[in-house]
Amino acid sequence: MKPAPRLPEHPPRLWKDAEPRKAYDVVIVGGGGHGLATAYHLAADHGITNVAVVEKGWLAGGNMARNTTIIRSNYLWDASAGIYEHALGLWETLEERLGTTVMFDQRGVLNLAHNLSDVREGKRRVNANQLNGIDAHWLTPAEVGKLAPVLDVSERPRHPVHGATFQPRAGIAKHDYVAWGYARAAYELGVDLVSDCEVTGFTQTGGRVTSVSTTRGEISAGTVVLCAAGHSAVLAEKLGVRLPVQSHPLQALVSELLEQVLDTVVMSNAVHVYVSQAHKGELVMGAGVDPHIGYGRRGSFHVVEEQMAAAVELFPIFARAHVLRTWAGIVDVTPDASPIVGPLDAAGDNVWINCGWGTGGFKATPGIGDVFADSVAHGRAHDLVAPYALERFTTGRLIDEHGAAAVAH
Amino acid sequence: MTGPTSSRLPDGGTRVDRSRPVTVTVDGVELAAYVGDTLASAMLAGGLDVVGAGIYTGRPRGLVGIGREEPNAWVQVTSGTGEPMVQATTQPVHDGLVVERLAGRGRLLPHTDETRYDVLHLHAEVVVVGGGSAGVAAARAAVEAGEGRVLLLDDAPVAPVIDGARCVPDTVVVGAHAHGRLVAVQRLDSAEGGGARRLLQVQAGRVVLATGSEERPMAFPGNDRPGVMLARAAASYVERYGVRPGSRAVVWTAHDGGHAAAATLAAAGVEVVAVLDVRDGDVVTGTEGGERLTAVHTTAGWYDADLLAVSGAVTPETRLWTHAGGTTRWSDEVAGFVPDAPPQGGRFSWAWSGSTAERAPAAWFCAADLTDEQAAETYLDSHRDATLADVRHAVEAGLRSVEHVKRHTTIGTGADQGRCSGVLTAGVLAELLGEPLGRVGATGARPPLVPVPFGLLAARNRGVLSDPVRVTPIHDRVAHAPMEDVGQWKRPYAFPSVDESLDEAVVRECRAVRTGVGMMDASTLGAIHLRGADVGVLLDMVYTNLFSTLAVGKVRYGVMCGPDGMVIDDGTTMRLSETDWLMSTTTGNAAAVLDTLEEWLLTEWPHLDVACTSQTDHWSTVAIAGPSSRDVVAVLAPDEDVSAEGFAFMTHREAVVAGMPARLARVSFSGELAFEVSVPAWYGAALWDAVAQAGAPYGITPYGTETMHVLRAEKAFPIVGQDTDGTVTPADLGLGWALSKKKVDYVGKRSHAREDAQRPDRRHLVGLAPLDGASRIAEGSQLVAHGADLSATPVPMLGHVTSAYAAGVAGPFALALLDGGRDRIGEVLDAVDDLVPTPVRVTAPVSYDPEGARRDGI
Amino acid sequence: MLRIPCPHCGERDETEFHYGGEAGVDYPAEPAALDDVAWAEYLFVRADPADWFTERWCHVSACRQWFTIDRHTVSDEVRA
């Protein structure tokens, strides 16, 4: 009965919830990872500290608290590689930047190939990654087996492993530590963090949004920034804008604590399995997105059952692990599986939106916080943000990550 | 072996069968037990005070509870198939059970778990969860009301007997989901061992949750010492198992139920030295002891005792209620959370037989002025080794939400699902924040109710049953070849002889088709039969080119797009009669194309007279390709005129082939003279044999998917899904000729008019040839400027290689999608794979017989 | 597991069905007459309410008919 090592302690002081004031230079709607990171960078990099982050529930209690914490940048298209690699670079120095531990553990991510089509896609992506300066390479089944000995790489009739892409710098972090690190840093710079504060409407005058109505009163805003993930469509509707975004349940689960058997992250888009073993020892797994839209934070249990079947196929020794807890988040998915980031001109010329990250939101957090704040501060889209303008759906110039990463967790 | 010890009473125990002794082994110590014992009651009877250790502190921990609420007694089962993190209080004993105690963490065993788990589907108008008095009453009422099938699921080893209702014992409902769906785990033959379990999928018209009560402890310094138990649990060990949980007891309670527990313990011979009641102002302030409690400090003095039985409250178990979407509210009357608003849809109700009479206001930690040292040994969650001090730290850090505090302290995240710690922590937090508990709230419960093995949820969907394997009726004839997975199908990749590599086999097979004749099983291609007066109208919409003009007996190639203008499928369609058509689809897309056709028909164009039937499995098809194919077909179908004039390209006819009713078509996916013979599926193997026999004089050569790919690539026939990726238009593929200008509309036409679809620098399908004429080009290579510095990232990428083959007629070649590719033909680029550049020349996509001179034979 | 009321076959498990998204988004009568904005709206923009929602399902494993139901996207309550 050997004791286990404890997780690092949180800082003795995190943040204090603020009473909302009457007016701010910037009101950020949504106190998740992206909202907090944007607030932090506005304050830290651009001296904009008269900022409120309003959150309808508890801070970082949405997808930030529910995701499976995988961080990687091995995306196919240049625009995606740009933003995710920028984020990965910032992850590597985030602890120094925030002054708190985030437990970013660069244990590498494997994306498995189960048939010749997967192999082609994987090699194409690896080559694109390498030419974009992203560490990635192709591994044979034997090499995959060495990295993840509990993965069954033998020839078998269903879902055999024909190889994998591997990104060594990818990994996982501890989501609460990340969110609270941003919250604390933003708070120390003077940002007001307001929880239990739901936005109920907006006042639009003269082509601008002048104030935000909330359950905790009316708040005047110089600039309004929407970072509401799965609730973006509902908020945009209040601004009279319809977004090409749909909110779906996405389920995940953890096992009980187990001695370490897996020290890398394994993903398989084909069978909708992605798994890591977290620092405490629990297996953390994500499932496929439920097909129907939903805000109930409840997915269908058969999705979990199918995921277990696939997991046990790939990792026979997982058969005896137990599902301890399942849950669902609400992911906002766009038609091309890429986010929408930029000015929301149709709502007013002082409104910015950042949504549609689907399953990619957590890993992008430091990167999007940085360049989105830069965009808002300068009133123009940063180069890394520009490809993600809403207009692409009209011109047809999509950034289609479906083909390469239909389940881009 | 330790014999029957003093902890086992001479008689009594409603659940144990004293005529059936068994032996279990805990960390090498053999313990005597009876069938009906749990591992926990066996350990208690055997005098094992320490049942686990703190995950971080390593502090010895004893039994606290008797069921799912137990935080400390987790074991690794090492006998049988083995299992980590098994809760001793819910694990029945069986002979030969061997376990090791754990410190909150299990381990996965390397050998394979071959256990086959089954799923049982049950349907009932009324499902009652729980076999206690409330559950029995609810089930009886449903039977009497004639509501139909009544099913009662009980987690106890013996279920009640109710006339007219089916009562299933040993069954834990682990999830209550929307629309009356329950997921349950049934333990089978627990006395026989082996851990046999099965999953129950239960669909209910309505559900009565009669899930009973749970007991909650109170917090005080030193509360994690072995010997500190829940009072009702302590008494229940006497009643259920005839086991005495201690010899000298202090009982500390906040409600009348604790007094009843004290009476039960006393009747069993436990010396109850004090019964203390919070309502009288009596508070426990500390404990003494090492691996077992020796003394209890209270405001009423201190006592020598080896058992401290504590009860803070007995409240309704509401987890399944919240799984299903019901809400709870704090009730001062019950001193706990009780069901409030029911889940939407009216399928769930709850029943509880607990009374409020015995209850008192909630008691949390009873000395708010505990010192830091005392707080650090006041465990709120012993499973997570988390204390009152930890909660204080979280609050001092600024956290106020119970969700944040849970995450900060990890309280309630353990395998016991925080049953003893959840409400206690919320109460402590409310007290620290000075807020009413109803406002602080509790963290939500999420399925499953108890941990469930992955393998049990995977059930039968393992190995070959994890995903169907589809094979054609010809499969037996080709099964010796290495197979490629295409969708769910297994298709032969190539047919290497014993002394041949795969590459060599492909070269040989290609040469056979180009110079003689080859045969392949083409049965996996999707076949959709379309019947009706308006099929032509439908096809004119779903294909980009014109189909309604196709004459009976003719075949036409078509490209299918989504409304976004991107290619989703292609294939040939033959017109069988005025009203009958047969569409072929790519192998992987057959089901999706059928769905798409039906969606358009049923939701947009219901006025069209078209019916679609999947016929993929109805036909066995053999492709016969190569200059000698006509000779082979002439032998097979002696009644047919198969001359170039008599049987024109892109026509089909009914024929008798080798004595079988068949459809013969002249289509070619290789550029060579070729025929496709389709017969009813059951003739597949006979057809294969007949073709092989008729072709033998011509050296007919079976070929696989890779050869097919080489042959089609030389003709630049795209493979949807390989040369396309959802971002490719027909024009990008060089199929602009198939985009009808005449038709007012087809699906995708409007999107083809968008700015981005009109860009001249879109990625076009082109051919590539290695500059040295010999180097192999790798699939997935990215194309960059020739001589580009690959270390100067990012290196601009101009396109990528979609298909590449080692041995075309003129050596290695490839197809690629290249920015503005049609304007770059002749340019030299580098195809980069794993940072190794291969210089290539951009060529026209068609590298073989661009004039199409060979399709009628040579 | 949602239970979907098929008007032809009765209430069945959602695994028998194929989801079709928002109902009532008709294929435009004259796509060529739409500007790029309106066409993009047809292609990509669908309602996403946290409320009652009229959506399409197809009973692919049985009658293969398309139909619409009203479902509340928060509670999953269904009205045929």
Side-chain angles (χ1 to χ4, degrees):
Chain A
M1 291 191 278
K2 267 201 331 238
R6 282 184 191 268
L7 293 184
E9 289 198 359
H10 291 283
R13 293 278 178 276
L14 288 167
W15 74 91
K16 279 199 166 58
D17 267 358
E19 275 300 317
R21 284 186 274 124
K22 291 268 179 262
Y24 292 92
D25 291 343
V26 179
V27 173
I28 297 175
V29 181
H34 286 202
L36 293 169
T38 303
Y40 164 73
H41 282 284
L42 280 173
D45 302 344
H46 305 284
I48 302 173
T49 57
N50 185 20
V51 175
V53 178
V54 298
E55 164 58 45
K56 74 171 185 167
W58 41 286
L59 224 52
N63 292 344
M64 195 66 183
R66 292 157 199 274
N67 77 89
T68 51
T69 78
I70 297 170
I71 293 161
R72 62 187 180 90
S73 66
N74 57 345
Y75 281 72
L76 175 65
W77 299 106
D78 292 351
S80 317
I83 185 66
Y84 287 110
E85 177 59 20
H86 181 61
L88 183 50
L90 294 177
W91 276 111
E92 288 173 321
T93 56
L94 193 58
E95 295 205 343
E96 297 90 90
R97 178 96 205 222
L98 296 180
T100 52
T101 178
V102 299
M103 301 183 72
F104 180 39
D105 179 354
Q106 292 180 287
R107 54 175 64 185
V109 169
L110 288 164
N111 291 77
L112 302 180
H114 298 296
N115 53 45
L116 295 183
S117 176
D118 289 351
V119 171
R120 273 183 211 107
E121 183 280 321
K123 289 187 169 174
R124 174 188 177 192
R125 189 160 42 77
V126 160
N127 287 324
N129 292 160
Q130 291 175 344
L131 293 170
N132 271 322
I134 293 169
D135 62 316
H137 48 272
W138 179 257
L139 299 182
T140 63
E143 291 168 329
V144 172
K146 259 187 210 150
L147 269 176
V150 295
L151 182 64
D152 180 4
V153 296
S154 65
E155 262 306 317
R156 55 204 155 91
R158 275 298 170 234
H159 315 306
V161 174
H162 284 311
T165 69
F166 185 57
Q167 183 179 23
R169 287 164 60 239
I172 56 174
K174 195 87 178 84
H175 45 16
D176 293 331
Y177 286 67
V178 176
W180 299 357
Y182 274 115
R184 173 178 170 275
Y187 171 75
E188 305 236 307
L189 291 165
V191 171
D192 276 1
L193 306 177
V194 187
S195 53
D196 295 317
C197 181
E198 183 169 0
V199 171
T200 55
F202 299 90
T203 307
Q204 289 160 293
T205 22
R208 296 172 64 79
V209 172
T210 50
S211 80
V212 180
S213 311
T214 78
T215 50
R216 295 180 68 178
E218 195 76 11
I219 305 173
S220 299
T223 300
V224 175
V225 175
L226 305 179
C227 288
H231 300 279
S232 296
V234 172
L235 278 175
E237 193 85 39
K238 294 185 200 296
L239 286 162
V241 179
R242 299 182 72 213
L243 293 176
V245 161
Q246 298 260 283
S247 301
H248 293 265
L250 172 63
Q251 299 182 77
L253 62 89
V254 289
S255 74
E256 74 271 72
L257 306 191
L258 298 161
E259 288 177 22
Q260 285 290 333
V261 293
L262 182 65
D263 60 4
T264 189
V265 183
V266 180
M267 303 177 58
S268 166
N269 285 349
V271 291
H272 299 309
V273 165
Y274 43 108
V275 58
S276 65
Q277 189 168 15
H279 304 90
K280 289 200 314 242
E282 67 272 36
L283 299 170
V284 182
M285 301 184 65
V289 176
D290 276 50
H292 56 271
I293 69 170
Y295 288 88
R297 284 187 177 151
R298 264 195 312 277
S300 291
F301 199 67
H302 70 89
V303 175
V304 170
E305 291 166 358
E306 287 159 15
Q307 180 197 7
M308 290 299 92
V312 173
E313 277 306 289
L314 296 177
F315 301 91
I317 78 164
F318 287 2
R320 298 182 192 77
H322 300 88
V323 176
L324 173 59
R325 189 163 54 248
T326 66
W327 65 89
I330 308 166
V331 292
D332 41 332
V333 179
T334 64
D336 63 355
S338 288
I340 296 168
V341 188
L344 193 63
D345 296 332
D349 58 17
N350 62 335
V351 184
W352 290 77
I353 189 159
N354 167 26
C355 70
W357 288 88
T359 54
F362 177 74
K363 63 180 73 70
T365 302
I368 194 64
D370 178 27
V371 297
F372 193 43
D374 179 272
S375 303
V376 172
H378 292 107
R380 54 95 190 93
H382 185 282
D383 284 350
L384 290 176
V385 155
Y388 294 106
L390 186 55
E391 285 66 37
R392 74 180 187 274
F393 296 99
T394 305
T395 63
R397 192 151 204 161
L398 306 184
I399 304 159
D400 195 342
E401 286 288 345
H402 270 306
V407 193
H409 308 286
Chain B
M1 175 183 293
T2 58
T5 66
S6 56
S7 295
R8 181 79 72 176
L9 296 166
D11 48 36
T14 55
R15 291 198 177 175
V16 290
D17 180 351
R18 291 186 185 243
S19 68
R20 298 172 70 190
V22 297
T23 302
V24 298
T25 307
V26 180
D27 285 310
V29 178
E30 293 192 344
L31 301 176
Y34 299 113
V35 166
D37 265 322
T38 63
L39 189 56
S41 64
M43 290 199 285
L44 197 60
L48 271 188
D49 294 332
V50 177
V51 298
I55 182 167
Y56 302 126
T57 59
R59 285 167 68 100
R61 295 274 159 73
L63 272 179
V64 168
I66 195 167
R68 300 195 279 266
E69 75 283 4
E70 170 58 37
N72 295 331
W74 297 88
V75 298
Q76 178 90 29
V77 175
T78 57
S79 54
T81 56
E83 191 168 339
M85 289 295 283
V86 171
Q87 197 176 26
T89 49
T90 60
Q91 172 65 44
V93 296
H94 57 82
D95 229 1
L97 178 66
V98 181
V99 306
E100 295 166 12
R101 289 166 293 180
L102 296 172
R105 236 178 14 151
R107 60 181 188 277
L108 293 172
L109 303 172
H111 60 270
T112 308
D113 176 13
E114 299 294 349
T115 311
R116 282 280 166 266
Y117 296 107
D118 278 323
V119 182
L120 183 64
H121 291 262
L122 295 174
H123 301 259
E125 276 68 34
V126 181
V127 176
V128 179
V129 182
S133 53
V136 168
R140 287 221 170 94
V143 170
E144 279 160 23
E147 285 195 63
R149 293 161 295 182
V150 178
L151 176 66
L152 184 145
L153 306 173
D154 192 0
D155 61 358
V158 177
V161 176
I162 301 170
D163 274 348
R166 179 178 179 184
C167 299
V168 183
D170 264 334
T171 299
V172 179
V173 174
V174 296
H177 302 279
H179 301 183
R181 173 62 60 116
L182 305 176
V183 179
V185 175
Q186 183 182 19
R187 195 180 280 281
L188 303 164
D189 303 325
S190 49
E192 310 309 322
R197 278 162 283 185
R198 70 178 167 194
L199 201 64
L200 304 188
Q201 297 280 3
V202 182
Q203 182 58 48
R206 70 180 183 92
V207 179
V208 182
L209 296 175
T211 43
S213 307
E214 57 185 14
E215 189 176 20
R216 187 172 74 223
M218 291 181 280
F220 52 93
N223 61 344
D224 72 326
R225 255 187 246 298
V228 177
M229 292 183 76
L230 288 165
R232 200 172 72 152
S236 294
Y237 276 106
V238 172
E239 292 164 347
R240 291 183 192 171
Y241 306 106
V243 176
R244 209 175 54 182
S247 51
R248 260 176 81 84
V250 172
V251 177
W252 184 38
T253 183
H255 60 96
D256 293 353
H259 297 269
T264 303
L265 292 172
V270 178
E271 186 189 348
V272 178
V273 294
V275 179
L276 307 172
D277 196 314
V278 174
R279 292 171 293 183
D280 301 331
D282 292 334
V283 168
V284 174
T285 54
T287 64
E288 287 179 32
E291 297 205 337
R292 178 87 196 199
L293 182 75
T294 55
V296 179
H297 297 250
T298 80
T299 48
W302 69 276
Y303 305 90
D304 284 331
D306 64 356
L307 175 65
L308 172 55
V310 179
S311 193
V314 175
T315 63
E317 154 74 88
T318 60
R319 282 178 177 76
L320 292 176
W321 178 261
T322 55
H323 286 185
T327 63
T328 60
R329 65 177 170 83
W330 176 256
S331 161
D332 277 330
E333 199 177 30
V334 172
F337 287 94
V338 296
D340 192 16
Q344 296 293 313
R347 300 230 200 195
F348 286 87
S349 58
W350 75 293
W352 189 46
S353 60
S355 78
T356 55
E358 65 179 25
R359 282 167 185 79
W364 305 116
F365 62 108
C366 294
D369 52 354
L370 291 180
T371 64
D372 287 349
E373 288 74 28
Q374 288 172 314
E377 57 174 25
T378 300
Y379 283 84
L380 295 177
D381 185 342
S382 59
H383 183 74
R384 293 295 312 145
D385 257 346
T387 66
L388 174 59
D390 295 322
V391 174
R392 283 182 176 174
H393 290 154
V395 170
E396 283 158 12
L399 303 181
R400 301 182 71 80
S401 157
V402 67
E403 294 283 356
H404 282 146
V405 170
K406 167 185 145 186
R407 286 157 178 277
H408 193 277
T409 60
T410 77
I411 287 174
T413 62
D416 59 345
Q417 318 261 27
R419 283 188 166 76
C420 284
S421 60
V423 176
L424 187 62
T425 303
V428 164
L429 180 62
E431 206 162 308
L432 289 174
L433 296 175
E435 286 184 9
L437 206 156
R439 183 169 149 64
V440 169
T443 58
R446 295 166 185 148
L449 188 77
V450 296
V452 182
F454 284 21
L456 182 56
L457 293 172
R460 282 297 181 98
N461 300 318
R462 297 177 64 175
V464 290
L465 297 182
S466 67
D467 193 25
V469 171
R470 298 181 76 183
V471 296
T472 75
I474 296 171
H475 186 73
D476 285 351
R477 300 295 192 270
V478 298
H480 58 283
M483 292 286 154
E484 175 181 359
D485 286 337
V486 183
Q488 291 172 328
W489 293 96
K490 295 279 181 194
R491 303 193 70 185
Y493 178 88
F495 294 84
S497 63
V498 284
D499 52 358
E500 230 179 7
S501 70
L502 274 177
D503 279 353
E504 288 164 347
V506 170
V507 170
R508 174 178 53 76
E509 293 170 12
C510 287
R511 193 183 313 121
V513 174
R514 291 280 182 235
T515 62
V517 61
M519 60 190 285
M520 91 169 297
D521 179 4
S523 310
T524 62
L525 287 182
I528 299 171
H529 182 260
L530 305 164
R531 169 172 290 175
D534 298 321
V535 175
V537 181
L538 171 72
L539 295 181
D540 278 351
M541 277 305 288
V542 299
Y543 279 128
T544 61
N545 47 335
L546 198 60
F547 265 84
S548 50
T549 56
L550 188 68
V552 174
K554 293 273 173 76
V555 186
R556 188 164 289 169
Y557 170 80
V559 188
M560 197 178 286
C561 291
D564 64 354
M566 303 304 158
V567 174
I568 58 172
D569 202 63
D570 70 343
T572 57
T573 294
M574 49 182 77
R575 190 164 192 174
L576 308 176
S577 74
E578 278 305 309
T579 54
D580 292 82
W581 307 58
L582 191 64
M583 171 189 287
S584 71
T585 73
T586 54
T587 295
N589 271 345
V593 170
L594 179 66
D595 288 350
T596 301
L597 295 179
E598 289 191 338
E599 182 176 350
W600 284 118
L601 281 170
L602 291 165
T603 67
E604 293 290 348
W605 310 313
H607 56 282
L608 294 185
D609 173 22
V610 182
C612 307
T613 308
S614 168
Q615 290 196 342
T616 305
D617 294 330
H618 297 201
W619 300 101
S620 287
T621 300
V622 175
I624 305 169
S628 305
S629 58
R630 181 176 287 129
D631 300 326
V632 178
V633 175
V635 173
L636 286 165
D639 298 340
E640 301 298 324
D641 174 3
V642 295
S643 66
E645 304 73 35
F647 199 157
F649 183 59
M650 294 302 258
T651 66
H652 67 89
R653 64 177 64 159
E654 304 297 312
V656 174
V657 173
M660 290 170 264
R663 181 175 303 119
L664 259 178
R666 259 205 66 200
V667 292
S668 176
F669 199 42
S670 60
E672 300 298 334
L673 173 70
F675 295 81
E676 273 185 12
V677 190
S678 299
V679 295
W682 50 87
Y683 291 126
L687 174 65
W688 182 265
D689 292 343
V691 173
Q693 193 183 355
Y698 305 92
I700 197 164
T701 301
Y703 64 95
T705 51
E706 186 64 3
T707 300
M708 173 186 79
H709 286 164
V710 176
L711 298 171
R712 65 87 204 175
E714 288 178 328
K715 294 294 292 176
F717 298 139
I719 302 261
V720 173
Q722 177 168 342
D723 301 304
T724 71
D725 61 1
T727 68
V728 178
T729 66
D732 298 342
L733 294 173
L735 301 173
W737 58 266
L739 301 177
S740 173
K741 303 266 190 308
K742 279 189 225 155
K743 293 194 289 189
V744 173
D745 193 23
Y746 57 79
V747 176
K749 186 177 172 91
R750 176 64 187 82
S751 290
H752 293 154
R754 288 190 300 174
E755 174 191 319
D756 197 64
Q758 298 289 329
R759 276 190 295 120
D761 61 343
R762 284 187 65 84
R763 290 201 163 171
H764 300 148
L765 188 73
V766 295
L768 300 176
L771 206 56
D772 62 8
S775 296
R776 188 166 185 175
I777 304 165
E779 277 177 0
S781 297
Q782 293 286 339
L783 298 173
V784 303
H786 182 47
D789 177 1
L790 301 185
S791 64
T793 58
V795 183
M797 285 168 266
L798 307 171
H800 74 282
V801 175
T802 59
S803 302
Y805 305 98
V809 280
F813 75 108
L815 295 176
L817 287 167
L818 175 62
D819 289 347
R822 285 196 285 275
D823 298 325
R824 292 179 186 261
I825 288 171
E827 282 184 25
V828 175
L829 302 172
D830 286 346
V832 181
D833 181 48
D834 207 17
L835 294 176
V836 177
T838 301
V840 294
R841 188 176 299 284
V842 181
T843 67
V846 180
S847 56
Y848 179 76
D849 183 29
E851 305 79 22
R854 300 178 64 89
R855 70 168 202 214
D856 290 327
I858 49 173
Chain C
M1 179 74 74
L2 302 180
R3 294 281 284 177
I4 305 297
C6 171
H8 310 286
C9 307
E11 185 186 277
R12 300 289 175 85
D13 283 357
E14 85 180 87
T15 46
E16 295 185 12
F17 297 83
H18 183 99
Y19 186 62
E22 186 185 7
V25 183
D26 291 345
Y27 186 74
E30 272 189 83
L34 300 183
D35 64 14
D36 282 351
V37 172
W39 180 247
E41 175 101 1
Y42 163 71
L43 282 181
F44 298 127
V45 180
R46 297 292 181 271
D48 190 28
D51 201 343
W52 284 100
F53 182 57
T54 305
E55 63 190 10
R56 308 183 310 149
W57 291 82
C58 177
H59 199 181
V60 286
S61 299
C63 66
R64 296 190 67 82
Q65 298 299 302
W66 283 86
F67 56 91
T68 66
I69 61 171
D70 289 338
R71 181 175 60 92
H72 198 285
T73 62
V74 181
S75 70
D76 283 333
E77 193 181 351
V78 165
R79 296 178 189 147

